[in-house]
Coordinates of all heavy atoms in Angstrom, one line a residue:
Chain B
G25 N 95.6 83.4 123.0 CA 96.1 82.0 123.0 C 97.5 81.8 123.5 O 98.0 80.7 123.4
R26 N 98.2 82.9 123.8 CA 99.6 82.8 124.3 C 99.6 82.4 125.7 O 98.7 82.6 126.5 CB 100.3 84.1 124.1 CG 100.6 84.6 122.7 CD 101.4 85.8 122.8 NE 100.6 87.0 123.0 CZ 101.1 88.1 123.5 NH1 102.4 88.2 123.9 NH2 100.4 89.2 123.7
K27 N 100.8 81.9 126.1 CA 101.0 81.6 127.5 C 101.6 82.9 128.1 O 102.0 83.8 127.4 CB 102.1 80.5 127.7 CG 101.6 79.2 127.2 CD 101.9 78.1 128.2 CE 100.7 77.1 128.3 NZ 100.9 75.8 128.7
A28 N 101.7 82.9 129.5 CA 102.1 84.2 130.1 C 103.4 84.7 129.7 O 103.6 85.9 129.6 CB 102.0 83.9 131.7
N29 N 104.4 83.8 129.4 CA 105.7 84.3 129.2 C 106.1 84.3 127.7 O 107.2 84.4 127.3 CB 106.8 83.5 129.9 CG 106.7 82.1 129.5 OD1 105.8 81.6 128.8 ND2 107.7 81.3 130.0
E30 N 105.0 84.1 126.8 CA 105.3 84.1 125.4 C 105.2 85.4 124.7 O 104.3 86.2 125.0 CB 104.2 83.2 124.7 CG 104.7 81.8 124.2 CD 103.5 81.1 123.6 OE1 103.3 81.3 122.4 OE2 102.9 80.3 124.3
L31 N 106.1 85.7 123.8 CA 106.1 86.9 123.0 C 105.1 86.7 121.8 O 104.9 85.6 121.4 CB 107.4 87.2 122.4 CG 108.6 87.6 123.4 CD1 109.9 87.6 122.5 CD2 108.4 88.9 124.1
R32 N 104.7 87.8 121.2 CA 104.0 87.7 119.9 C 105.0 87.4 118.8 O 106.2 87.6 119.1 CB 103.3 89.0 119.6 CG 102.1 89.3 120.6 CD 101.5 90.6 120.3 NE 102.4 91.8 120.8 CZ 102.0 93.0 120.7 NH1 100.8 93.3 120.1 NH2 102.8 94.0 121.1
R33 N 104.6 87.1 117.6 CA 105.5 86.8 116.5 C 106.3 88.0 116.1 O 105.6 89.1 115.9 CB 104.7 86.2 115.4 CG 105.7 85.9 114.2 CD 105.0 85.0 113.2 NE 104.0 85.7 112.4 CZ 103.6 85.4 111.2 NH1 104.1 84.3 110.6 NH2 102.6 86.0 110.6
V34 N 107.6 88.0 116.1 CA 108.4 89.1 115.8 C 109.0 88.9 114.4 O 109.6 87.9 114.1 CB 109.6 89.3 116.7 CG1 110.5 90.4 116.3 CG2 109.1 89.5 118.2
R35 N 108.7 89.9 113.4 CA 109.2 89.8 112.1 C 109.8 91.1 111.8 O 109.3 92.2 112.2 CB 108.1 89.5 111.1 CG 107.5 88.1 111.3 CD 106.9 87.5 110.1 NE 105.6 88.2 109.8 CZ 104.8 87.9 108.8 NH1 105.2 86.9 108.0 NH2 103.7 88.5 108.6
C36 N 111.0 91.2 111.1 CA 111.6 92.5 110.9 C 112.3 92.4 109.5 O 112.6 91.4 109.0 CB 112.5 92.9 112.0 SG 113.8 91.7 112.3
N37 N 112.7 93.7 109.1 CA 113.4 93.8 107.8 C 114.2 95.1 107.9 O 113.8 96.1 108.4 CB 112.4 94.0 106.7 CG 113.0 93.7 105.4 OD1 114.2 93.3 105.3 ND2 112.3 94.0 104.3
L38 N 115.5 95.0 107.5 CA 116.4 96.1 107.6 C 116.6 96.7 106.2 O 116.4 96.0 105.2 CB 117.8 95.7 108.1 CG 118.0 95.8 109.6 CD1 117.6 94.5 110.2 CD2 119.4 96.1 109.9
G39 N 116.9 98.0 106.1 CA 117.2 98.6 104.8 C 115.9 98.7 103.9 O 116.0 98.4 102.7
V40 N 114.8 99.1 104.5 CA 113.6 99.1 103.7 C 113.6 100.3 102.7 O 113.0 100.2 101.6 CB 112.4 99.3 104.7 CG1 111.1 99.4 104.0 CG2 112.4 98.2 105.7
F41 N 114.2 101.4 103.1 CA 114.2 102.6 102.2 C 115.6 102.9 101.7 O 116.6 102.7 102.5 CB 113.6 103.8 102.9 CG 112.2 103.6 103.3 CD1 111.8 104.1 104.5 CD2 111.3 103.1 102.5 CE1 110.5 103.9 104.9 CE2 110.0 102.9 102.8 CZ 109.6 103.3 104.1
Q42 N 115.8 103.5 100.5 CA 117.1 103.8 100.0 C 117.6 105.2 100.4 O 118.7 105.4 100.5 CB 117.1 103.7 98.5 CG 117.2 102.3 97.9 CD 115.9 101.5 98.2 OE1 114.9 101.9 97.8 NE2 116.0 100.3 98.8
Q43 N 116.6 106.1 100.5 CA 117.0 107.5 100.7 C 117.5 107.8 102.1 O 118.3 108.6 102.3 CB 115.9 108.5 100.2 CG 116.0 108.7 98.8 CD 114.9 109.6 98.3 OE1 114.4 109.5 97.2 NE2 114.6 110.6 99.0
A44 N 116.9 107.2 103.1 CA 117.3 107.4 104.5 C 118.6 106.7 104.7 O 118.9 105.7 104.1 CB 116.3 106.8 105.4
D45 N 119.4 107.2 105.7 CA 120.7 106.6 105.9 C 120.5 105.2 106.5 O 121.3 104.3 106.2 CB 121.5 107.4 106.9 CG 121.9 108.8 106.3 OD1 122.3 108.7 105.1 OD2 121.8 109.8 106.9
G46 N 119.5 105.0 107.3 CA 119.2 103.7 107.9 C 117.7 103.5 108.0 O 117.0 104.5 108.4
S47 N 117.2 102.4 107.8 CA 115.7 102.2 108.0 C 115.5 100.7 108.4 O 116.2 99.8 108.1 CB 115.0 102.5 106.7 OG 115.5 101.7 105.6
A48 N 114.3 100.5 109.1 CA 114.0 99.2 109.5 C 112.4 99.2 109.7 O 111.8 100.2 109.9 CB 114.6 98.8 110.8
Y49 N 111.9 98.0 109.5 CA 110.5 97.7 109.7 C 110.3 96.5 110.7 O 111.0 95.5 110.5 CB 109.8 97.4 108.4 CG 108.4 96.9 108.5 CD1 107.4 97.8 108.8 CD2 108.0 95.6 108.2 CE1 106.1 97.4 108.8 CE2 106.7 95.2 108.3 CZ 105.7 96.1 108.6 OH 104.4 95.7 108.6
I50 N 109.5 96.7 111.7 CA 109.3 95.6 112.6 C 107.8 95.3 112.9 O 107.0 96.3 112.9 CB 110.1 95.8 113.9 CG1 110.1 94.6 114.8 CG2 109.5 97.0 114.7 CD1 111.1 94.7 115.9
E51 N 107.5 94.1 113.0 CA 106.1 93.7 113.4 C 106.2 92.8 114.6 O 106.8 91.8 114.6 CB 105.5 92.8 112.2 CG 104.9 93.5 111.1 CD 104.2 92.6 110.1 OE1 103.9 91.4 110.5 OE2 104.0 93.0 109.0
Q52 N 105.5 93.2 115.7 CA 105.4 92.4 116.8 C 103.9 92.1 117.0 O 103.1 93.0 117.4 CB 105.9 93.0 118.1 CG 107.3 92.6 118.4 CD 107.9 93.2 119.7 OE1 108.7 94.1 119.6 NE2 107.4 92.8 120.8
G53 N 103.4 90.9 116.5 CA 102.0 90.7 116.5 C 101.4 91.6 115.5 O 101.8 91.7 114.3
N54 N 100.4 92.4 115.9 CA 99.8 93.4 115.0 C 100.3 94.8 115.1 O 99.7 95.7 114.6 CB 98.3 93.4 115.2 CG 97.6 92.3 114.4 OD1 98.1 91.9 113.4 ND2 96.4 91.9 114.9
T55 N 101.3 95.0 115.9 CA 101.9 96.3 116.1 C 103.0 96.4 115.0 O 104.0 95.7 115.0 CB 102.5 96.5 117.5 OG1 101.5 96.4 118.4 CG2 103.1 98.0 117.6
K56 N 102.8 97.4 114.1 CA 103.7 97.5 112.9 C 104.3 98.9 112.9 O 103.6 99.9 112.8 CB 103.0 97.2 111.6 CG 102.4 95.9 111.6 CD 101.5 95.6 110.4 CE 100.8 94.2 110.5 NZ 99.8 94.0 109.6
I57 N 105.7 99.0 113.0 CA 106.3 100.3 113.1 C 107.5 100.3 112.1 O 108.2 99.4 111.9 CB 106.8 100.5 114.5 CG1 105.6 100.5 115.5 CG2 107.6 101.8 114.6 CD1 105.8 101.0 116.9
L58 N 107.6 101.5 111.5 CA 108.7 101.8 110.5 C 109.6 102.8 111.2 O 109.1 103.8 111.7 CB 108.1 102.4 109.3 CG 107.9 101.6 108.1 CD1 107.2 102.4 107.0 CD2 109.2 101.1 107.5
A59 N 110.9 102.6 111.1 CA 111.9 103.6 111.6 C 112.8 104.0 110.5 O 113.3 103.2 109.7 CB 112.6 103.0 112.8
A60 N 113.2 105.3 110.5 CA 114.2 105.8 109.6 C 115.2 106.7 110.3 O 114.8 107.4 111.2 CB 113.5 106.6 108.5
V61 N 116.4 106.5 110.0 CA 117.5 107.3 110.7 C 118.2 108.1 109.7 O 118.6 107.6 108.6 CB 118.5 106.4 111.4 CG1 119.7 107.1 111.8 CG2 117.8 105.7 112.6
Y62 N 118.3 109.4 110.0 CA 119.1 110.3 109.1 C 120.3 110.8 109.9 O 120.1 111.4 111.0 CB 118.3 111.5 108.7 CG 117.2 111.2 107.6 CD1 115.9 110.8 108.1 CD2 117.5 111.2 106.3 CE1 115.0 110.5 107.1 CE2 116.5 110.9 105.4 CZ 115.3 110.5 105.8 OH 114.3 110.2 104.8
G63 N 121.5 110.6 109.5 CA 122.6 111.2 110.2 C 123.8 110.2 110.3 O 123.7 109.1 109.8
P64 N 124.9 110.7 110.9 CA 125.0 112.0 111.5 C 125.2 113.1 110.4 O 125.8 112.8 109.4 CB 126.3 111.9 112.3 CG 126.9 110.6 111.9 CD 126.0 109.8 111.1
H65 N 124.5 114.2 110.5 CA 124.6 115.2 109.5 C 124.7 116.6 110.2 O 124.6 116.7 111.4 CB 123.4 115.2 108.6 CG 122.1 115.4 109.3 ND1 121.5 116.7 109.4 CD2 121.2 114.6 109.9 CE1 120.4 116.6 110.1 NE2 120.2 115.3 110.4
E66 N 124.9 117.6 109.4 CA 125.1 119.0 109.9 C 123.7 119.4 110.5 O 122.7 119.1 110.0 CB 125.3 119.9 108.7 CG 126.1 121.1 109.1 CD 126.3 122.0 107.9 OE1 126.7 121.5 106.8 OE2 126.1 123.2 108.0
P67 N 123.8 120.0 111.7 CA 122.5 120.3 112.4 C 121.6 121.2 111.5 O 122.1 122.1 110.8 CB 122.9 121.1 113.6 CG 124.4 121.3 113.5 CD 124.9 120.5 112.4
S68 N 120.3 121.0 111.6 CA 119.4 121.8 110.8 C 119.1 123.1 111.5 O 119.5 123.3 112.6 CB 118.0 121.0 110.6 OG 117.5 120.8 111.9
Q69 N 118.5 124.0 110.8 CA 118.2 125.4 111.2 C 117.7 125.5 112.7 O 118.2 126.2 113.5 CB 117.2 126.0 110.3 CG 117.5 127.2 109.4 CD 118.9 127.9 109.6 OE1 119.9 127.3 109.2 NE2 118.9 129.1 110.1
N70 N 116.7 124.6 112.9 CA 116.0 124.7 114.2 C 116.9 124.3 115.4 O 116.7 124.8 116.5 CB 114.8 123.8 114.3 CG 113.9 123.9 113.1 OD1 114.1 124.8 112.3 ND2 113.0 122.9 112.9
F71 N 117.9 123.5 115.1 CA 118.6 122.9 116.3 C 120.0 123.5 116.3 O 120.8 123.0 117.2 CB 118.7 121.4 116.1 CG 117.3 120.7 116.2 CD1 116.7 120.3 115.1 CD2 116.7 120.6 117.4 CE1 115.5 119.7 115.1 CE2 115.5 120.0 117.5 CZ 114.8 119.5 116.4
R72 N 120.4 124.4 115.5 CA 121.7 124.9 115.4 C 122.3 125.4 116.7 O 123.4 125.2 117.1 CB 121.8 126.0 114.3 CG 123.2 126.1 113.7 CD 123.1 126.6 112.3 NE 122.8 125.5 111.4 CZ 122.8 125.6 110.1 NH1 123.2 126.7 109.6 NH2 122.5 124.6 109.3
S73 N 121.4 126.0 117.5 CA 121.8 126.6 118.7 C 122.0 125.6 119.8 O 122.7 125.8 120.8 CB 120.9 127.7 119.2 OG 119.6 127.2 119.1
Q74 N 121.3 124.4 119.7 CA 121.3 123.5 120.8 C 122.4 122.4 120.7 O 122.5 121.6 121.6 CB 119.9 122.7 120.8 CG 118.7 123.6 121.0 CD 117.5 122.8 120.8 OE1 117.5 121.5 121.0 NE2 116.4 123.4 120.3
V75 N 123.1 122.4 119.6 CA 124.0 121.3 119.4 C 125.3 121.5 120.3 O 125.9 122.5 120.2 CB 124.5 121.2 117.9 CG1 125.6 120.2 117.7 CG2 123.3 120.9 117.0
P76 N 125.6 120.5 121.1 CA 126.8 120.7 122.0 C 128.1 120.5 121.1 O 128.1 119.9 120.1 CB 126.7 119.6 123.0 CG 125.7 118.6 122.4 CD 124.9 119.3 121.4
H77 N 129.2 121.0 121.7 CA 130.5 121.0 120.9 C 131.2 119.7 121.0 O 132.0 119.4 120.1 CB 131.4 122.1 121.4 CG 131.9 121.9 122.7 ND1 131.2 122.2 123.9 CD2 133.0 121.3 123.2 CE1 131.8 121.8 124.9 NE2 133.0 121.3 124.6
D78 N 130.8 118.9 122.0 CA 131.6 117.6 122.1 C 130.7 116.4 122.0 O 131.2 115.3 122.1 CB 132.2 117.6 123.5 CG 131.2 117.8 124.6 OD1 130.0 118.1 124.3 OD2 131.5 117.7 125.8
N79 N 129.4 116.6 121.7 CA 128.5 115.4 121.5 C 127.6 115.7 120.3 O 127.6 116.8 119.8 CB 127.5 115.4 122.7 CG 128.2 114.6 123.9 OD1 129.1 113.8 123.7 ND2 127.7 114.9 125.1
C80 N 126.9 114.6 119.9 CA 125.9 114.9 118.9 C 124.6 115.1 119.5 O 124.3 114.7 120.6 CB 125.9 113.8 117.9 SG 124.9 112.4 118.3
L81 N 123.7 115.7 118.7 CA 122.3 116.0 119.2 C 121.4 114.9 118.6 O 121.5 114.6 117.4 CB 121.9 117.3 118.7 CG 120.4 117.7 119.1 CD1 120.3 118.1 120.5 CD2 119.9 118.9 118.2
I82 N 120.6 114.3 119.4 CA 119.7 113.2 118.9 C 118.3 113.8 118.9 O 117.8 114.3 119.9 CB 119.8 112.0 119.8 CG1 121.2 111.4 119.8 CG2 118.8 110.9 119.3 CD1 121.3 110.2 120.7
N83 N 117.7 113.8 117.8 CA 116.3 114.3 117.6 C 115.4 113.2 117.2 O 115.7 112.4 116.4 CB 116.4 115.4 116.5 CG 115.0 115.9 116.2 OD1 114.2 116.1 117.1 ND2 114.7 116.1 115.0
C84 N 114.3 113.1 117.9 CA 113.4 112.0 117.6 C 112.0 112.5 117.2 O 111.5 113.5 117.8 CB 113.2 111.1 118.9 SG 112.2 109.7 118.6
E85 N 111.4 112.0 116.2 CA 110.1 112.3 115.7 C 109.2 111.1 115.7 O 109.6 110.1 115.2 CB 110.1 112.9 114.3 CG 110.9 114.1 114.1 CD 110.1 115.4 114.1 OE1 108.9 115.3 113.8 OE2 110.7 116.4 114.3
Y86 N 108.0 111.2 116.4 CA 107.2 110.0 116.5 C 105.8 110.4 115.9 O 105.2 111.4 116.3 CB 107.0 109.7 118.0 CG 106.2 108.5 118.3 CD1 106.7 107.2 118.3 CD2 104.8 108.7 118.6 CE1 105.9 106.2 118.7 CE2 104.0 107.6 119.0 CZ 104.6 106.3 119.0 OH 103.8 105.2 119.3
S87 N 105.4 109.7 114.9 CA 104.1 109.9 114.3 C 103.3 108.7 114.2 O 103.8 107.6 113.9 CB 104.1 110.7 113.0 OG 105.3 110.4 112.3
Q88 N 101.9 108.8 114.4 CA 101.0 107.7 114.3 C 100.1 107.9 113.1 O 99.5 108.9 113.0 CB 100.2 107.6 115.5 CG 100.9 107.0 116.7 CD 99.9 106.8 117.9 OE1 99.5 107.8 118.5 NE2 99.6 105.6 118.2
A89 N 100.0 106.9 112.3 CA 99.1 107.0 111.1 C 97.7 107.2 111.6 O 97.3 106.6 112.6 CB 99.2 105.7 110.3
A90 N 96.9 107.9 110.8 CA 95.5 108.1 111.2 C 94.7 106.8 111.3 O 93.8 106.7 112.2 CB 94.8 109.0 110.2
F91 N 95.1 105.8 110.5 CA 94.4 104.5 110.5 C 95.0 103.5 111.4 O 94.7 102.3 111.4 CB 94.3 104.0 109.1 CG 95.5 104.0 108.3 CD1 96.6 103.2 108.6 CD2 95.7 105.0 107.3 CE1 97.8 103.2 107.9 CE2 96.9 105.1 106.6 CZ 97.9 104.2 106.9
S92 N 96.0 103.9 112.3 CA 96.8 102.9 113.1 C 96.0 102.3 114.2 O 96.2 101.1 114.5 CB 98.0 103.6 113.6 OG 97.7 104.7 114.5
G93 N 95.1 103.0 114.8 CA 94.3 102.4 115.9 C 92.9 102.0 115.5 O 92.6 101.9 114.3
V94 N 92.1 101.7 116.5 CA 90.8 101.2 116.2 C 89.9 102.4 115.7 O 89.2 102.4 114.7 CB 90.1 100.6 117.5 CG1 88.7 100.2 117.2 CG2 91.0 99.4 117.9
E95 N 90.0 103.5 116.5 CA 89.3 104.8 116.1 C 90.3 105.6 115.2 O 91.5 105.5 115.4 CB 89.0 105.6 117.3 CG 88.0 104.9 118.2 CD 86.6 104.9 117.6 OE1 86.2 105.9 116.9 OE2 85.9 103.9 117.8
R96 N 89.7 106.3 114.3 CA 90.6 107.2 113.4 C 91.2 108.3 114.2 O 90.5 109.0 115.0 CB 89.8 107.7 112.3 CG 90.6 108.3 111.3 CD 89.9 108.8 110.0 NE 90.8 109.7 109.4 CZ 90.9 111.0 109.6 NH1 90.1 111.6 110.5 NH2 91.8 111.7 109.0
K97 N 92.5 108.5 114.0 CA 93.2 109.6 114.8 C 93.4 110.7 113.9 O 94.1 110.6 112.9 CB 94.5 109.0 115.3 CG 95.3 109.8 116.3 CD 96.5 109.1 116.7 CE 97.6 110.0 117.1 NZ 97.3 110.6 118.4
N98 N 93.0 111.9 114.3 CA 93.0 113.0 113.4 C 94.4 113.7 113.3 O 94.8 114.2 112.2 CB 92.0 114.1 113.9 CG 91.2 114.7 112.7 OD1 91.5 114.4 111.6 ND2 90.2 115.4 113.1
R99 N 95.2 113.7 114.4 CA 96.4 114.4 114.4 C 97.6 113.5 114.5 O 97.8 112.9 115.5 CB 96.4 115.3 115.6 CG 97.1 116.7 115.3 CD 96.9 117.6 116.4 NE 98.1 118.5 116.5 CZ 98.5 119.2 117.5 NH1 97.9 119.1 118.6 NH2 99.6 119.9 117.4
P100 N 98.3 113.2 113.4 CA 99.4 112.2 113.4 C 100.5 112.5 114.3 O 101.1 111.6 114.9 CB 99.9 112.2 111.9 CG 99.1 113.1 111.2 CD 98.2 113.9 112.1
R101 N 100.9 113.8 114.5 CA 102.0 114.1 115.4 C 101.8 115.5 116.0 O 101.0 116.3 115.5 CB 103.4 114.0 114.7 CG 103.5 115.0 113.6 CD 104.9 114.8 112.9 NE 104.8 115.3 111.5 CZ 104.2 114.6 110.6 NH1 103.8 113.4 110.8 NH2 104.1 115.1 109.4
G102 N 102.6 115.8 117.0 CA 102.5 117.1 117.6 C 101.5 117.1 118.8 O 101.4 118.1 119.5
D103 N 100.8 116.0 119.0 CA 99.9 115.9 120.2 C 100.8 115.5 121.4 O 101.9 115.0 121.2 CB 98.8 114.9 119.9 CG 99.3 113.5 119.6 OD1 100.4 113.4 119.1 OD2 98.6 112.5 119.9
R104 N 100.2 115.6 122.6 CA 101.0 115.4 123.8 C 101.6 114.0 123.9 O 102.7 113.8 124.2 CB 100.0 115.6 125.0 CG 99.7 117.0 125.2 CD 100.6 117.7 126.3 NE 100.2 117.3 127.6 CZ 99.3 118.0 128.3 NH1 98.8 119.1 127.8 NH2 98.9 117.6 129.5
K105 N 100.8 113.0 123.5 CA 101.3 111.6 123.7 C 102.4 111.4 122.8 O 103.5 110.8 123.2 CB 100.1 110.6 123.4 CG 100.5 109.2 123.7 CD 99.6 108.2 123.1 CE 100.4 106.8 123.0 NZ 100.0 105.9 122.0
G106 N 102.3 111.9 121.5 CA 103.4 111.7 120.6 C 104.7 112.4 121.0 O 105.8 111.8 120.9

Side-chain angles (χ1 to χ4, degrees):
Chain B
R26 286 185 282 156
K27 294 227 139 156
N29 61 351
E30 249 183 83
L31 295 172
R32 291 175 285 182
R33 179 165 72 158
V34 178
R35 296 201 287 182
C36 57
N37 196 8
L38 271 88
V40 180
F41 298 138
Q42 280 70 52
Q43 278 181 215
D45 293 319
S47 55
Y49 172 72
I50 190 169
E51 273 184 23
Q52 260 182 253
N54 275 335
T55 301
K56 302 175 184 166
I57 299 191
L58 262 172
V61 167
Y62 287 91
H65 62 90
E66 209 183 312
S68 60
Q69 246 351 70
N70 313 348
F71 297 102
R72 206 147 282 191
S73 50
Q74 297 170 29
V75 175
H77 67 279
D78 55 352
N79 276 337
C80 82
L81 177 75
I82 300 177
N83 175 39
C84 181
E85 298 261 341
Y86 180 87
S87 26
Q88 280 184 292
F91 44 74
S92 57
V94 178
E95 293 290 322
R96 189 177 165 272
K97 192 178 153 71
N98 227 347
R99 216 174 149 199
R101 60 183 156 280
D103 59 330
R104 287 263 280 271
K105 186 195 163 208

